[in-house]
Amino acid sequence: MIDLLLLLTLTVAIAAGWWLGRRGNRPLIWGSSAQPPSEYYRGLNFLLDGSQDNAIDAFTQALEVNAETFDTHIALGNVLRRRGEVERAIRVHQNLLARPSLPQTQLHLAHLELARDYISAGLLDRAEKLLIDLVAESGNHRRVARRHLLEIYEAQRDWSAACEVAEELLPKRSLIKSADNAADEVGQPVSVLLAHYCCEQAALARVRGDYGEGRELLAKALRYDKACVRATLSLGALELSAGQPEQSIKVLKTVFDQGPEYLAEVTPLMREAMDSLGIRKNLCSYLEGCFERSPTTPLALAIAHELHVTIGNEAAKNFLRKSLKDKPSLRGVALLMSLHDSSEAGDDEPLERETIEKIIDQRFSHRCTHCGFRNQQLHWYCPGCKHWGTIRDLGTTGEALNG
Ligand SMILES: [Zn+2]
């Protein structure tokens, strides 16, 4: 369908040029002749033979590049890129750039589209060079070029280069502000991106054992975006690695105010910290207090697990039975069945449990709130839409049976 529309556009553009050329004795679309070039007839033949790809090539050659036909060439290149025919898209856009007589604004647009082609083709170094030039030369495309540079540096995991470019995208008078102030941004607010870039750098610092730098980076992440749960969780983990369990617990408790839907993610870290201080019994009461204010399936599972370990089976089962009435979930049923002892389990119980567990394994437990991408665990970066911090446990998003 896209091909047909595109071919129609090309045919009309060429025919219009020929007609105007004849009428005004001044060819607009191709060189000095008022006759359509042979490529036009070749294109028509290909079209009639049903060979759309060859027809597109022939029409492109017939359609001279000038300011009037520029948009058609750009549209053609973009359609080819979207169809995955990146090499042909590159040829179309390079052909535009080979015409320095075009107005500068059009050359800059061709420049941008060629950079997008290179990104699609995975030729990131070439795209980077074009985009850096565009940032220097084109005021109109500077912001979008910087956004594409971020895309490249994210793919290369070059976080310091990403931070440098992202800071240029921040509003000038608020270099370090919360995400609320970047509502006018296209895509995710830059402050949200910066917070995640800092988290990535902090993770590397933690691996190196450089806790001081890690703390600084995570504090910076929270200055960029005070709602960045990842920064808080990372700081809690870092304090634990640095032998500061009390500080870790203090930090982790602030997750509830940032994003109660992430509380279950806090549990393993808090358990480890409390264990090391000999205060494990405090964990259950803390989680139950949170559950009263924000009941979610993952938190119910975490509490049941904790009750099972610290108090016993009955306490865990009673809690699960009550929470399942309010929030039905397959994961809850599976956990309840696993807690049954042999006297409670019927003959079919192993089969029932196995079946439910298989169903759970086949279902996705997490979903991106931006694009709907689903997977089995929490990731901070969505591979579907390339957004940061948008993946949630389905048990926190109010979906029926939530995995
Ligand atoms: Zn997504």
Side-chain angles (χ1 to χ4, degrees):
M1 188 62 181
I2 289 171
D3 286 349
L4 285 174
L5 281 175
L6 185 65
L7 281 167
L8 188 63
T9 309
L10 282 168
T11 313
V12 168
I14 292 168
W18 175 72
W19 181 74
L20 287 169
R22 272 177 67 98
R23 191 165 166 255
N25 204 18
R26 189 169 57 87
L28 291 180
I29 305 299
W30 48 77
S32 55
S33 167
Q35 297 299 316
S38 58
E39 286 86 354
Y40 178 67
Y41 296 111
R42 281 181 61 228
L44 273 182
N45 274 332
F46 283 130
L47 191 55
L48 293 170
D49 289 345
S51 177
Q52 294 181 3
D53 284 352
N54 289 334
I56 288 174
D57 282 341
F59 281 139
T60 311
Q61 285 165 23
L63 189 63
E64 188 186 323
V65 175
N66 58 37
E68 284 80 25
T69 63
F70 176 84
D71 289 342
T72 308
H73 282 274
I74 286 285
L76 169 67
N78 294 353
V79 168
L80 290 171
R81 184 174 66 236
R82 279 201 295 276
R83 282 180 13 155
E85 297 185 48
V86 186
E87 278 183 25
R88 294 172 78 199
I90 289 172
R91 282 206 300 276
V92 170
H93 292 135
Q94 279 177 334
N95 188 34
L96 293 176
L97 283 173
R99 318 294 166 120
S101 57
L102 287 174
Q104 200 167 52
T105 50
Q106 292 188 335
L107 285 172
H108 284 158
L109 181 56
H111 202 128
L112 177 65
E113 296 301 345
L114 183 60
R116 287 172 169 157
D117 296 338
Y118 284 147
I119 291 175
S120 296
L123 301 168
L124 301 185
D125 288 352
R126 288 191 202 180
E128 181 190 10
K129 190 175 177 318
L130 284 181
L131 292 166
I132 288 173
D133 288 348
L134 204 54
V135 166
E137 291 169 17
S138 168
N140 287 343
H141 299 298
R142 189 166 291 144
R143 290 187 73 80
V144 71
R146 283 189 168 130
R147 282 281 180 170
H148 285 305
L149 279 172
L150 290 183
E151 211 178 307
I152 290 171
Y153 296 139
E154 285 180 5
Q156 294 174 331
R157 303 183 65 76
D158 186 344
W159 307 117
S160 62
C163 279
E164 208 173 298
V165 172
E167 278 176 2
E168 292 295 327
L169 283 164
L170 280 173
K172 286 299 170 205
R173 282 190 301 141
S174 55
L175 271 178
I176 298 180
K177 274 199 162 186
S178 81
D180 306 339
N181 296 314
D184 59 333
E185 282 294 327
V186 176
Q188 277 192 296
V190 180
S191 47
V192 170
L193 305 183
L194 275 163
H196 281 276
Y197 299 158
C198 289
C199 289
E200 292 285 349
Q201 290 175 304
L204 296 174
R206 188 182 154 204
V207 170
R208 290 197 304 271
D210 192 343
Y211 300 128
E213 191 189 343
R215 281 189 193 97
E216 273 177 32
L217 285 162
L218 293 170
K220 197 172 167 189
L222 287 165
R223 286 200 298 276
Y224 282 127
D225 179 9
K226 63 181 188 296
C228 183
V229 174
R230 181 189 184 183
T232 309
L233 278 169
S234 303
L235 189 57
L238 183 140
E239 294 297 358
L240 199 54
S241 301
Q244 303 289 334
E246 283 172 328
Q247 183 60 20
S248 172
I249 293 167
K250 191 176 160 194
V251 168
L252 291 171
K253 282 185 174 176
T254 64
V255 168
F256 185 83
D257 295 323
Q258 278 184 315
E261 66 272 25
Y262 286 102
L263 268 174
E265 307 295 334
V266 166
T267 316
L269 291 169
M270 209 178 256
R271 184 183 299 135
E272 194 180 333
M274 288 184 170
D275 258 342
S276 72
L277 292 167
I279 54 168
R280 169 81 176 260
K281 60 181 182 349
N282 292 358
L283 179 58
C284 208
S285 54
Y286 173 72
L287 294 178
E288 283 180 311
C290 294
F291 188 76
E292 274 177 31
R293 292 156 65 195
S294 178
T296 63
T297 296
L299 194 50
L301 299 177
I303 292 169
H305 176 76
E306 201 54 30
L307 286 168
H308 170 63
V309 173
T310 56
I311 299 179
N313 249 5
E314 276 312 306
K317 283 190 288 187
N318 287 338
F319 175 81
L320 270 177
R321 287 182 186 119
K322 187 171 177 303
S323 73
L324 280 171
K325 277 183 191 160
D326 297 334
K327 287 188 85 67
S329 91
L330 274 180
R331 281 183 284 175
V333 171
L335 182 56
L336 182 60
M337 291 177 87
S338 73
L339 295 172
H340 285 154
D341 56 37
S342 53
S343 65
E344 292 170 296
D347 293 342
D348 293 330
E349 197 269 349
L351 177 64
E352 289 163 4
R353 198 170 78 200
E354 201 179 313
T355 306
I356 290 177
E357 281 168 359
K358 277 184 183 162
I359 293 171
I360 292 171
D361 283 347
Q362 285 165 8
R363 289 162 66 104
F364 294 111
S365 56
H366 289 70
R367 184 172 64 83
C368 172
T369 53
H370 182 255
C371 74
F373 175 85
R374 287 169 181 256
N375 68 348
Q376 290 284 18
Q377 54 185 313
L378 176 67
H379 290 290
W380 295 110
Y381 182 72
C382 174
C385 61
K386 300 181 177 174
H387 273 49
W388 293 89
T390 50
I391 293 179
R392 301 273 189 284
D393 188 310
L394 286 171
T396 65
T397 57
E399 298 198 17
L401 290 177
N402 42 57

